[in-house]
Amino acid sequence: MATSFKTLLSGDIKQHGTKLHEAIPLTGTILSGTYGAFGAETNVKNYSHGMFQSVYDYPYLSSSANHILDITVGVAADSGLSGSANYVQTTQKNDIYNEMAQMLCGYDATGSIHQFDVSGAFGSNVATDKMKDVVFVNFARLLTKDEIQKETGGGFTLVLNAATTFATPSTTQVTLQDTNATNALENSPAGQFNVLYASSPSVSATACGLVFYQAGIAVISSSVFQTTIAGGNSEMNVGTDTMPQLLVSGAISSSADALRHRFHNVGFNNTTELNSTIYMCRAGASEFNYSSNPTYLSSSQIRVKNVSTDNPVSYITTVGLYGANNELLAVGKLSEPLKKTPADEFVLRVRLDY
Amino acid sequence: MAFLDNSGDIILDAVLTDAGRKRLSAGDGSFKISKFALGDDEIDYSLYTPITSSGYEDLRILQLPVFEAFTNNTTVLKNKLLTYQDDSLLYLPVIKLNNMAQLGATTATGTGAPLGGYYLSVDSSTTAQTSGSNNGGIQPGYRHIDETTARTARSRSRLVFDQGLDSADLVLKYLANTNRNLLETQYIIEVDNRLLSLASSADGSLATPTFIDDDSVASYYFSLNSNPSFFASQPGGADRPGTIQEVAYQIVNDGDPTSPGKVIGPTGATGRLGSRLVFSLRSSADIQANTSLFTQLGSTATITDDAAVTRIFSTIDTVVRVTGFTTGYRMDVPVKLLKYVSTP
């Protein structure tokens, strides 16, 4: 009796996990300069609600455009900026801060939202560690995949142009890095995170932000553009506003524009967790040596044989994985035909990724 | 010292078919891979040249490029590799459409005809237009599959498939006696469920599809043991066995009851006869009653019959696919569904 199916035994099916990493280098010119004049880039989308700004890798009206990140800012209700005159979008900036904080920092025992803390200890009461005026960079899932990779010495590197002058921002640069990445902190409800340390001509390894690996979010203190880290107060717009001034008098989109202008590059490796099932399809010596291909026969005679004592030959190009009712559920292809005779045995390891 | 050949272990990535994705998304545990099969769809074995220098006989085959995986479950692995324990087989069985007049039916001819297949009249009006005065009341190349005719004159909607070794080198015998391993006793028939259904030619009862896939392809599974009314005898061999070939249902040859009526073996005295699959086609209620599927899937055609009468029909081209479940051999019968429009 001819058979065309072979049952997979329990030992033929193995589960396997793999972490796949891709390098994501993102240059500042994508955020500002490539697709139009500053402030009028066609790859930057502002919304009527004004809560955040989206950046694409191509003019966003094109179907080829991919969403790469969002930028927004948040100011805590008890920030020193909150009582300022001419405060623009006060409510929205507070709401953004609280939303991000409750997602990334969690709550205390009373249900109050923790504030961002540059030490990573959200429950800490050290007032000087609290980051109350921050910029958020939310990377799209397209870039971060399952998570940003944690690497020895720092896998996430963000370089900001921090010179004082608006027109020539790149003469001084601040590098933010998760230098202690392998010892990621675990006390966030959004998964693992770490402290971003800034280094510049003025400072070395000064905590100034947080990076959340699974959430794909960088939280940057507005202090990176101020004297303590940058060595001077950076002019964030043509009006020479400093970062605190802009957070008060500017809309969220203005602050996002300012960050894009100061964005030199960012680099990290993303991580995709592949769960694979490997099916060991074993073609024994006496199996799969004949074919039902219509060209296999000429007047019922097997073409690859002259006499009955010749070995049968077949050529494998495809492996099909079937359900119990013979329904084809998955297909694997070989790169070239594989010759099969009674003298050959093969194990075709077919991997199905989820 | 050279390196050892480590090419015996091959890793390849698989993709889910549309059916696989559907099962996976159902989340009911129906996605469970339990077996595998190997295929060689891209291979043209006529490129094999056995009489040449060793190592060169399959050079052209091994150079054939291989397609990426199709994800449509019905379009891949059409041709499976087979396991026979006997390495000395020189012949393998085929399945042939029995196109003998009045037993199977003569296949269609002419420009635009489904060559090697049939015109199918889907309603009584079309049947009336394509009936003939002889040949059992039906023109050559036609099958009448409308509800009324298919019930009352079942031979008009009948398709017959003969299985066996179609070689002039073999004297006429039965596979059941000579090589039972090559006898096919289970068949899968696939048709477009929107257009066609299958019925027993013996008693007219409608068959139930085993499953209907997401492309509306209905698969019917018939086995000799469970569905004997879909099998018949192949007459002709001197060693006609009294067991598996002697199924209850015999096809009545309207024209010549003594005709052997076989298509396996190029002459009357050659070939090894296997099983005979017989079923009737039935047009769906949708295409009998209205023309929307003809508008959606088909076109119109002007067809001139044997009596030189020209008529206009709405048409749909499709295939009836028959696959031997164990021997793996598969054949497609092209059919053109006709719905009468007018006589110009």
Side-chain angles (χ1 to χ4, degrees):
Chain A
M1 182 70 74
T3 55
S4 54
F5 293 106
K6 185 171 181 182
T7 301
L8 290 159
L9 306 175
S10 58
D12 296 331
I13 303 174
K14 297 293 180 191
Q15 311 295 325
H16 182 63
T18 310
K19 287 195 172 182
L20 188 69
H21 303 292
E22 298 171 300
I24 305 294
L26 197 61
T27 60
T29 53
I30 288 289
L31 279 75
S32 172
T34 298
Y35 297 108
F38 176 66
E41 294 95 336
T42 53
N43 67 320
V44 176
K45 187 175 185 180
N46 287 298
Y47 301 89
S48 57
H49 53 64
M51 298 289 275
F52 60 90
Q53 185 180 77
S54 295
V55 180
Y56 293 75
D57 64 355
Y58 198 66
Y60 64 83
L61 291 177
S62 167
S63 59
S64 302
N66 294 298
H67 178 209
I68 55 175
L69 55 86
D70 294 320
I71 302 171
T72 187
V73 297
V75 178
D78 61 349
S79 163
L81 305 178
S82 290
S84 303
N86 303 319
Y87 203 146
V88 175
Q89 283 193 301
T90 312
T91 308
Q92 287 90 337
K93 289 169 186 170
N94 285 342
D95 290 350
I96 287 286
Y97 186 94
N98 287 334
E99 179 187 353
M100 297 298 278
Q102 70 176 357
M103 289 294 291
L104 301 175
C105 306
Y107 310 90
D108 65 12
T110 66
S112 301
I113 299 170
H114 281 310
Q115 291 189 329
F116 288 101
D117 191 296
V118 80
S119 72
F122 301 128
S124 163
N125 58 3
V126 180
T128 53
D129 285 347
K130 298 301 174 189
M131 295 190 290
K132 301 190 178 186
D133 319 315
V134 290
V135 178
F136 300 105
V137 182
N138 295 16
F139 293 95
R141 186 63 62 200
L142 179 72
L143 299 189
T144 61
K145 299 293 175 64
D146 291 330
E147 65 178 25
I148 295 168
Q149 186 183 15
K150 301 175 284 291
E151 293 182 79
T152 306
F156 180 89
T157 304
L158 172 61
V159 181
L160 298 170
N161 297 324
T164 303
T165 310
F166 177 78
T168 55
S170 62
T171 54
T172 302
Q173 291 176 341
V174 176
T175 300
L176 280 61
Q177 201 167 31
D178 56 338
T179 50
N180 198 22
T182 48
N183 297 316
L185 302 169
E186 306 271 358
N187 53 310
S188 163
Q192 294 174 309
F193 71 103
N194 225 318
V195 177
L196 287 174
Y197 291 94
S199 55
S200 72
S202 306
V203 298
S204 61
T206 301
C208 68
L210 303 171
V211 58
F212 292 82
Y213 296 112
Q214 284 84 32
I217 296 173
V219 182
I220 305 163
S221 168
S222 64
S223 64
V224 295
F225 298 111
Q226 297 173 57
T227 305
T228 51
I229 293 176
N233 286 322
S234 303
E235 298 168 359
M236 302 304 290
N237 57 14
V238 290
T240 69
D241 286 330
T242 62
M243 194 65 188
Q245 290 169 335
L246 188 61
L247 285 172
V248 172
S249 62
I252 290 174
S253 62
S254 300
S255 298
D257 286 343
L259 183 76
R260 288 192 297 106
H261 182 66
R262 294 279 174 175
F263 199 101
H264 188 72
N265 64 48
V266 66
F268 58 87
N269 286 348
N270 69 22
T271 303
T272 304
E273 293 180 19
L274 287 179
N275 290 301
S276 306
T277 305
I278 297 175
Y279 299 89
M280 312 286 183
C281 300
R282 304 176 198 275
S286 60
E287 296 169 329
F288 303 110
N289 294 319
Y290 294 91
S291 173
S292 62
N293 188 312
T295 65
Y296 195 65
L297 303 177
S298 174
S299 297
S300 278
Q301 183 175 340
I302 298 170
R303 284 183 195 268
V304 296
K305 283 183 151 199
N306 283 321
V307 294
S308 63
T309 51
D310 287 345
N311 273 334
V313 179
S314 64
Y315 297 88
I316 306 166
T317 66
T318 312
V319 184
L321 302 176
Y322 288 82
N325 64 350
N326 301 326
E327 194 173 23
L328 181 60
L329 300 176
V331 183
K333 299 290 286 194
L334 278 77
S335 60
E336 60 185 28
L338 183 65
K339 188 175 185 175
K340 177 73 181 73
T341 73
D344 302 312
E345 284 202 347
F346 295 115
V347 179
L348 301 171
R349 297 203 298 158
V350 182
R351 188 175 65 192
L352 201 52
D353 295 329
Y354 299 94
Chain B
M1 186 176 288
F3 292 113
L4 290 171
D5 179 7
N6 63 355
S7 60
D9 197 353
I10 298 148
I11 304 173
L12 55 158
D13 288 327
V15 294
L16 292 174
T17 63
D18 49 359
R21 288 197 295 267
K22 184 178 177 186
R23 296 283 177 211
L24 197 59
S25 67
D28 57 1
S30 61
F31 182 85
K32 183 172 172 53
I33 290 169
S34 60
K35 60 181 90 169
F36 75 94
L38 305 178
D40 61 357
D41 290 353
E42 291 91 346
I43 303 301
D44 177 1
Y45 285 92
S46 68
L47 300 178
Y48 193 89
T49 50
I51 306 172
T52 188
S53 304
S54 293
Y56 288 91
E57 61 275 89
D58 57 359
L59 187 62
R60 293 172 66 189
I61 289 179
L62 291 171
Q63 289 175 336
L64 288 171
V66 177
F67 283 94
E68 288 186 320
F70 295 105
T71 55
N72 187 332
N73 64 317
T74 59
T75 56
V76 285
L77 269 146
K78 293 191 291 290
N79 309 311
K80 296 186 182 68
L81 299 190
L82 303 172
T83 297
Y84 287 101
Q85 293 305 316
D86 183 358
D87 288 339
S88 65
L89 295 173
L90 185 59
Y91 301 95
L92 290 179
V94 298
I95 300 167
K96 294 179 74 176
L97 175 69
N98 190 320
N99 59 352
M100 303 186 76
Q102 300 177 0
L103 183 69
T106 309
T107 51
T109 57
T111 305
L115 298 178
Y118 299 106
Y119 290 115
L120 304 178
S121 72
V122 303
D123 59 16
S124 54
S125 169
T126 310
T127 294
Q129 295 292 334
T130 57
S131 294
S133 56
N134 52 22
N135 196 34
I138 188 167
Q139 292 187 32
Y142 283 80
R143 303 277 78 192
H144 292 162
I145 64 167
D146 63 281
E147 177 83 13
T148 306
T149 310
R151 284 186 185 282
T152 57
R154 290 193 292 273
S155 64
R156 293 192 188 186
S157 60
R158 187 172 66 197
L159 298 189
V160 180
F161 296 86
D162 291 349
Q163 185 253 349
L165 302 183
D166 187 33
S167 172
D169 300 335
L170 304 169
V171 297
L172 184 60
K173 286 188 176 181
Y174 280 94
L175 280 178
N177 290 339
T178 57
N179 195 337
R180 205 180 180 86
N181 283 340
L182 302 182
L183 179 68
E184 184 59 80
T185 58
Q186 302 166 86
Y187 290 89
I188 296 170
I189 297 99
E190 294 165 88
V191 295
D192 190 326
N193 194 57
R194 296 168 297 178
L195 311 174
L196 300 169
S197 56
L198 267 54
S200 164
S201 179
D203 57 23
S205 59
L206 273 175
T208 304
T210 307
F211 66 87
I212 301 168
D213 81 354
D214 57 323
D215 301 311
S216 298
V217 176
S219 296
Y220 295 79
Y221 171 84
F222 299 134
S223 76
L224 182 62
N225 290 334
S226 304
N227 313 93
S229 69
F230 289 89
F231 289 79
S233 299
Q234 282 199 59
D239 64 337
R240 183 174 185 158
T243 54
I244 198 162
Q245 293 301 109
E246 286 293 346
V247 295
Y249 175 53
Q250 303 286 327
I251 297 175
V252 177
N253 185 334
D254 297 330
D256 180 5
T258 63
S259 167
K262 74 180 187 65
V263 292
I264 295 294
T267 67
T270 58
R272 293 286 154 80
L273 305 183
S275 58
R276 170 172 283 176
L277 175 72
V278 186
F279 58 82
S280 290
L281 289 174
R282 192 79 59 87
S283 56
S284 71
D286 289 339
I287 62 170
Q288 289 189 59
N290 60 58
T291 59
S292 60
L293 279 171
F294 284 91
T295 306
Q296 185 183 340
L297 306 174
S299 60
T300 58
T302 303
I303 298 171
T304 303
D305 69 8
D306 278 7
V309 177
T310 297
R311 298 179 180 85
I312 297 172
F313 298 92
S314 293
T315 68
I316 298 175
D317 289 298
T318 183
V319 295
V320 176
R321 178 167 298 152
V322 176
T323 307
F325 184 75
T326 52
T327 59
Y329 196 86
R330 155 181 178 150
M331 75 166 303
D332 289 349
V333 179
V335 293
K336 187 185 283 283
L337 277 60
L338 301 182
K339 193 173 182 70
Y340 176 68
V341 176
S342 64
T343 303

